[in-house]
Amino acid sequence: MSLLVVGINHKSAPVEVREKLAFSPANIPNALALHREKFPSSEVAILSTCNRVEMYTSTPTADVTAFNGNSISPEQLIDFLSEFHKLEKEKFASHVYCYQDVEAVNHLFFVTSSLDSMVVGESQILSQVKEAYLIASAAETAGKVLNRLFQKAINVAKEIHTNSMIGKGKVSVSSVAVEFAEKIFQDFSNKTALIIGAGEMCELVLKQLVEQGMATIVMANRSFDRAQALANEYGGKAIKYDLLTDYLPHADIVISSTAAPHYVIHPEYVAHAIKARRGNPIFMIDIAVPRDIDPEVGKIDNVYLYNIDDLQSVVNKNIDERAKEMEKCKAIIDKEVNEFMGWLEEIKIGPVIQKLREHFHAIGKEELDRLRPKLKEVKGDDWEQVVYTMERTLNKLLHEPAKVGKEEAKNGSAYRYAETIRKLFGIHHNEEGRSNS
């Protein structure tokens, strides 16, 4: 068996390339069916997310089983992607990576465990790998090898997330900001967020607040049209920028990220708001550079003020913690990769051992056929005993070669052992012994 993965991801290709090669859930079955038509002896699965597009294949090979199997080349998979998406190879081939055999196994385990993700430790990729596997299973393009490979990858990911801290701690400024807010309010279902500015960072925080159930969103921006557009997208309300101070008393959470060269929120504004709120706290996040909120605001009772450096320090700490966990995760993956490759090598050696058995028993039958006329007086049960003794002797002789073959396979020496067996006993390649795995 030869394993191959060909793909692109967020590290190898920009989004304008990835989106052209992306598969929708609806067209993956069509792609799998077309691949099976082109390469009937190959297993295949397709993983397509916003950050990666990868094709995993397993094909019989001539190097170990030696039954005229033909492995698929990376170039053939690149051609397949080009034809399916009607995209010239020159527009994406330079971004493609490929891994074979042990490197392919290692890559899938890293991907499924989210060690290759844009945000290391995130959990979404595991469900995406499961979905890719289920689609391939339903299309009957995942056979013995890919079934085992993907099931193993899913189990490895679960083990890593259970036995390491790789997924603990937020690793983006926006997610840390929301995490801080959750510590103060616990529940956003009756809270109001005032968003000052309409840039990318504000939108990231806004999106996460909405996902966590923020009840009311109020947008303020110098460009009212931009504030209105963002408010409409997230079910909020836009206000004129000069009404900002009027809305401060209604805000439980304030997120500010403008391009202003000076403070836009001053202590007196916030002191007035706290008084109007009768002491109810305000959580304020200043993610602007230069800062939007006067640092003196943080000295007011019941005001929780954090700036970009406060958030980034937490992000950096969490990233450092995840980096420490990486070595533990790699050790788990190394062990599981070795175990899987041992199993795969056993599959490779199996047909050779079977041919050796057939070879020995064919010789035994020839000798029995030659002996039978000479032992006319040996009949019935007596002759059956002779046949049984011959077969039992052959099986005893074959036991040790089979045992050693499995051990050699686990050590990655299947090819060398298979070639030695062939040379010693004159076993030749032929169609009849082709593996159906």
Side-chain angles (χ1 to χ4, degrees):
M1 289 295 141
S2 175
L3 283 168
L4 173 67
V5 56
V6 164
I8 59 171
N9 63 16
H10 58 283
K11 292 182 284 189
S12 75
V15 65
E16 55 265 27
V17 175
R18 300 200 306 272
E19 65 189 7
K20 288 183 174 66
L21 290 176
F23 293 86
S24 70
N27 68 15
I28 287 180
N30 296 332
L32 294 175
L34 180 60
H35 186 278
R36 180 170 53 193
E37 182 180 320
K38 287 179 172 291
F39 309 103
S41 65
S42 174
E43 302 176 30
V44 62
I46 296 173
L47 174 62
S48 184
T49 75
C50 59
N51 285 329
R52 70 180 65 245
V53 176
E54 296 177 342
M55 293 188 69
Y56 291 82
T57 67
S58 171
T59 52
T61 55
D63 61 352
V64 174
T65 57
F67 305 130
N68 294 335
N70 295 306
S71 60
I72 297 176
S73 69
E75 290 74 20
Q76 286 174 301
L77 286 185
I78 291 172
D79 287 341
F80 180 88
L81 288 168
S82 174
E83 292 170 14
F84 187 85
H85 292 291
K86 296 178 174 56
L87 182 66
E88 295 175 2
K89 288 191 293 184
E90 292 72 19
K91 293 184 177 180
F92 70 91
S94 63
H95 299 284
V96 171
Y97 50 79
C98 66
Y99 301 105
Q100 291 181 291
D101 298 327
V102 66
E103 290 183 350
V105 176
N106 192 73
H107 178 72
L108 178 60
F109 289 4
F110 261 72
V111 168
T112 310
S113 302
S114 79
L115 303 185
D116 194 55
S117 296
M118 184 177 290
V119 178
V120 173
E122 56 90 10
S123 58
Q124 185 180 13
I125 186 64
L126 176 57
S127 61
Q128 291 167 330
V129 171
K130 286 181 180 177
E131 182 66 17
Y133 170 53
L134 289 174
I135 292 174
S137 294
E140 298 183 346
T141 61
K144 183 175 183 178
V145 175
L146 289 192
N147 278 331
R148 178 80 171 230
L149 177 63
F150 275 81
Q151 288 170 10
K152 189 75 165 176
I154 291 166
N155 289 335
V156 168
K158 290 177 180 177
E159 181 180 355
I160 282 177
H161 283 278
T162 299
N163 297 323
S164 79
M165 303 289 285
I166 198 69
K168 302 297 188 292
K170 307 299 183 183
V171 289
S172 71
V173 167
S174 59
S175 59
V176 167
V178 174
E179 185 178 45
F180 278 15
E182 287 176 321
K183 289 178 180 178
I184 295 171
F185 295 111
Q186 284 85 47
D187 181 13
F188 294 152
S189 62
N190 62 346
K191 302 302 177 187
T192 296
L194 172 61
I195 313 295
I196 307 168
E200 180 182 2
M201 189 64 78
C202 275
E203 185 173 0
L204 287 172
V205 177
L206 171 58
K207 181 181 179 182
Q208 295 204 34
L209 286 172
V210 170
E211 289 175 352
Q212 295 302 316
M214 180 61 64
T216 305
I217 301 290
V218 179
M219 299 291 306
N221 192 52
R222 290 193 183 279
S223 168
F224 181 76
D225 289 343
R226 173 60 180 156
Q228 186 71 64
L230 206 54
N232 289 343
E233 184 176 351
Y234 290 96
K237 169 187 176 181
I239 63 170
K240 298 290 185 181
Y241 195 76
D242 55 9
L243 295 177
L244 181 61
T245 55
D246 294 341
Y247 273 82
L248 267 179
H250 304 289
D252 301 293
I253 297 172
V254 177
I255 313 292
S256 188
S257 182
T258 74
H262 50 71
Y263 298 138
V264 298
I265 297 180
H266 300 277
E268 57 269 27
Y269 301 165
V270 180
H272 171 74
I274 286 291
K275 184 176 180 181
R277 289 172 60 81
R278 297 182 180 180
N280 286 323
I282 299 179
F283 177 75
M284 310 187 82
I285 304 172
D286 185 356
I287 45 182
V289 179
R291 287 175 291 180
D292 283 342
I293 304 174
D294 189 325
E296 293 297 311
V297 167
K299 298 178 181 179
I300 300 172
D301 288 344
N302 295 317
V303 174
Y304 300 87
L305 173 62
Y306 296 91
N307 62 36
I308 187 70
D309 286 348
D310 297 325
L311 301 178
Q312 191 62 55
S313 66
V314 175
V315 168
N316 291 341
K317 180 181 177 182
N318 290 344
I319 289 174
D320 289 343
E321 289 299 317
R322 290 193 179 189
K324 292 176 185 175
E325 291 295 295
M326 186 67 82
E327 290 307 313
K328 182 190 296 184
C329 297
K330 286 180 179 178
I332 293 173
I333 286 178
D334 286 346
K335 173 179 173 293
E336 297 298 337
V337 167
N338 288 336
E339 183 176 308
F340 179 83
M341 292 307 297
W343 173 82
L344 191 61
E345 290 293 317
E346 285 188 41
I347 289 180
K348 291 179 180 181
I349 206 71
V352 177
I353 298 299
Q354 180 59 33
K355 291 301 295 181
L356 182 62
R357 289 184 184 279
E358 292 172 3
H359 179 72
F360 269 52
H361 282 278
I363 292 174
K365 185 176 184 305
E366 287 177 7
E367 291 302 310
L368 288 173
D369 290 344
R370 184 186 63 80
L371 184 63
R372 187 74 179 95
K374 298 178 179 180
L375 299 177
K376 294 179 181 179
E377 69 281 3
V378 180
K379 299 178 181 179
D381 290 344
D382 291 337
W383 177 250
E384 291 301 321
Q385 281 296 318
V386 172
V387 173
Y388 171 75
T389 299
M390 170 69 82
E391 291 179 345
R392 190 162 182 266
T393 300
L394 291 174
N395 286 333
K396 283 186 174 183
L397 290 171
L398 287 164
H399 174 75
E400 195 63 23
K403 178 182 174 183
V404 172
K406 290 183 178 180
E407 291 172 354
E408 289 294 308
K410 288 179 180 178
N411 294 327
S413 303
Y415 172 76
R416 184 188 65 186
Y417 185 77
E419 286 302 299
T420 300
I421 291 295
R422 291 192 185 102
K423 289 177 181 178
L424 282 174
F425 298 101
I427 299 174
H428 303 292
H429 307 166
N430 57 57
E431 287 293 321
E432 286 74 28
R434 178 177 293 178
S435 170
N436 294 320
S437 301

